[in-house]
Amino acid sequence: MDPLTETAQRLSALSRRHYRSAYATVDWPLTVEQQQWFTSPELISIFGTPYWESLDEPQRMRLSFWEAANFFSINIHGERALLEGLAHRLYQPGLEDVTEYLHHFLDEENKHSVWFGTFCLRYAGRVYPDRKVPFPAAFGPTEEEFLFFARAAVFEEIVDRHNAAMAADERLVPVARQINALHHADETRHLVFGRQLVAELWRRHRPTWSPETVTAVRHYLASYLVGTWREYYNPSVYLDAGLTDPWVTAREAWDHPVTRQHRQLFSRTCVRFLLDAGILDETPTL
Amino acid sequence: MDQAALRQALRQWVLAHAGTPTAEAVRDRTPLISSRLITSLQVLDLVLFIEELRGAPIDVRMLRADTFRDIDTICATFFAGGAR
């Protein structure tokens, strides 16, 4: 049995062992008071910038609520694309041996979206809209297949760094901490699968691509990593939190050296994986 | 901001992000997407820039590749009521 199939079977067994209902796992309060921490202060997008310094504690807590709504919204949109792509790939040629695990992957991603969606709609009254613009496919089928799973891996690696940190943060309101902890528990398996599958698809397809295609795939993936982070700096969040000039805040927070350092730190594992696998040939500028 | 200043701001943004060598290469009818001056991943930044010029979020139902075809189309789609 090849290593990827073996991993997929092991992860399927773990998923069955940890199977749970999406509707019986989170203790949902009827309402939440915004004067609490919903996002770890250090993970708030403007942390370390003059904008953060200008806020008092109640304003920071209020911002932490809307940042949590944005983080969960980002997850909803990322997982929706993942659900669509996973469903499309069930039983596809070349993926038969891992399809059993793709069923678990789909099931677990759907549950995550239930948790994220419930938080956003119940407490924030909205899911922040996705600003990504759908474009026609720019690559061939093998590149698209690789990039689908590579995007998923990059997206989940970044999200999981946040989940792991916030699952352990006792300052957070229980419902926010619980959602982060539950997501982290499932994502640990998804990350193992994602890394192995992405490396395997790279080994399988790369020799069939021209040097120009390899360069284009690398450029796309590096840009995707940057774009993934861009969504964490959402002007609509700053608007809801009562900050003045939300678009300038987003732009200047993004450009601030402290936030760049944070993105580099939280992307380190992901970038290391991509470099070690030979997928990227240089560290992206974040 | 009047229409001329708005178009100039959009051209400057495209020039800064597309890495196009000369200003002559970016006119109001220059295809931005089909010529790959702007990639799908850069459009998110462009959306944020348009929102900043408008001073208001964009209705995401208007976010389709064809609405970013060129500067003329961007102006007609997102700035029919003018910029702030």
Side-chain angles (χ1 to χ4, degrees), chain A residues 153-170:
Chain A
V154 165
F155 179 82
E156 295 201 316
E157 293 270 359
I158 304 302
V159 161
D160 190 60
R161 282 300 308 266
H162 289 76
N163 287 147
M166 289 196 274
D169 189 342
E170 293 181 356

Side-chain angles (χ1 to χ4, degrees), chain B residues 1-23:
Chain B
M1 185 183 282
D2 63 24
Q3 278 288 318
L6 173 62
R7 286 167 187 274
Q8 179 62 16
L10 289 166
R11 279 194 293 271
Q12 288 298 331
W13 187 95
V14 173
L15 277 168
H17 289 77
T20 310
T22 62

Side-chain angles (χ1 to χ4, degrees), chain A residues 129-138 219-224 227-228 230-231 233-236 239 245 247-248 250-251, chain B residues 33 36 38-45 47-58 60 63-68 84:
Chain A
D130 186 6
R131 287 184 172 89
K132 284 193 288 298
V133 181
F135 273 55
H219 182 258
Y220 176 93
L221 203 54
S223 302
Y224 178 79
T228 296
R230 203 77 176 85
E231 295 179 312
Y233 301 75
N234 187 346
S236 301
L239 204 59
D245 230 337
W247 286 273
V248 176
R251 188 158 36 79
Chain B
I33 307 300
R36 302 200 176 179
I38 300 295
T39 67
S40 60
L41 295 171
Q42 286 175 312
V43 170
L44 174 61
D45 273 338
V47 168
L48 291 172
F49 183 63
I50 291 169
E51 288 187 349
E52 188 174 345
L53 292 174
R54 285 162 45 108
I58 288 174
V60 294
L63 296 180
R64 302 185 313 270
D66 62 340
T67 53
F68 298 92
R84 69 171 170 174

Side-chain angles (χ1 to χ4, degrees), chain A residues 82 105 147-157 187 191 224:
Chain A
L82 191 51
F105 208 145
L147 284 171
F148 168 74
F149 286 107
R151 278 196 303 269
V154 165
F155 179 82
E156 295 201 316
E157 293 270 359
E187 289 303 306
L191 292 178
Y224 178 79

Side-chain angles (χ1 to χ4, degrees), chain A residues 100-115:
Chain A
E100 184 193 5
Y101 187 64
L102 294 186
H103 278 294
H104 290 294
F105 208 145
L106 261 170
D107 170 52
E108 289 162 3
E109 293 298 349
N110 186 52
K111 284 173 186 158
H112 303 163
S113 289
V114 170
W115 300 330

Side-chain angles (χ1 to χ4, degrees), chain A residues 3-241:
Chain A
L4 180 61
T5 306
E6 202 174 315
T7 299
Q9 289 190 359
R10 183 171 56 83
L11 295 174
S12 293
L14 282 171
S15 284
R16 281 193 291 274
R17 195 181 310 157
H18 294 283
Y19 186 84
R20 57 188 155 214
S21 161
Y23 303 99
T25 38
V26 179
D27 303 316
W28 298 104
L30 279 178
T31 57
V32 291
E33 183 58 52
Q34 287 189 12
Q35 292 306 309
Q36 306 176 81
W37 291 111
F38 291 84
T39 305
S40 302
E42 301 78 13
L43 303 187
I44 289 175
S45 58
I46 64 168
F47 180 82
T49 72
Y51 292 102
W52 177 257
E53 299 306 324
S54 73
L55 302 179
D56 59 23
E57 180 104 334
Q59 289 173 313
R60 289 174 176 179
M61 285 179 165
R62 186 174 176 210
L63 176 59
S64 90
F65 170 79
W66 293 106
E67 289 262 331
N70 186 51
F71 179 53
F72 295 153
S73 297
I74 289 170
N75 275 277
I76 287 169
H77 301 309
E79 293 191 338
R80 194 181 52 214
L82 191 51
L83 288 168
E84 288 171 5
L86 287 172
H88 179 69
R89 285 164 176 83
L90 290 172
Y91 302 101
Q92 286 300 298
L95 295 172
E96 297 94 333
D97 291 341
V98 299
T99 284
E100 184 193 5
Y101 187 64
L102 294 186
H103 278 294
H104 290 294
F105 208 145
L106 261 170
D107 170 52
E108 289 162 3
E109 293 298 349
N110 186 52
K111 284 173 186 158
H112 303 163
S113 289
V114 170
W115 300 330
F116 297 137
T118 302
F119 180 95
C120 290
L121 294 181
R122 183 176 294 196
Y123 306 131
R126 62 189 295 201
V127 171
Y128 283 115
D130 186 6
R131 287 184 172 89
K132 284 193 288 298
V133 181
F135 273 55
F139 290 102
T142 59
E143 297 98 289
E144 287 291 345
E145 180 181 61
F146 167 77
L147 284 171
F148 168 74
F149 286 107
R151 278 196 303 269
V154 165
F155 179 82
E156 295 201 316
E157 293 270 359
I158 304 302
V159 161
D160 190 60
R161 282 300 308 266
H162 289 76
N163 287 147
M166 289 196 274
D169 189 342
E170 293 181 356
R171 293 169 296 181
L172 261 56
V173 63
V175 67
R177 196 175 165 199
Q178 195 178 10
I179 293 171
N180 278 291
L182 286 165
H183 196 218
H184 174 56
D186 284 345
E187 289 303 306
T188 307
R189 294 191 296 279
H190 297 183
L191 292 178
V192 169
F193 178 73
R195 283 181 204 163
Q196 209 166 331
L197 179 59
V198 168
E200 166 59 25
L201 291 175
W202 178 257
R203 276 193 296 272
R204 193 186 295 176
H205 295 316
R206 187 198 184 287
T208 69
W209 297 338
S210 69
E212 294 75 24
T213 299
V214 171
T215 301
V217 166
R218 283 178 167 151
H219 182 258
Y220 176 93
L221 203 54
S223 302
Y224 178 79
L225 173 60
V226 177
T228 296
W229 272 110
R230 203 77 176 85
E231 295 179 312
Y232 286 70
Y233 301 75
N234 187 346
S236 301
V237 166
Y238 309 141
L239 204 59
D240 286 333

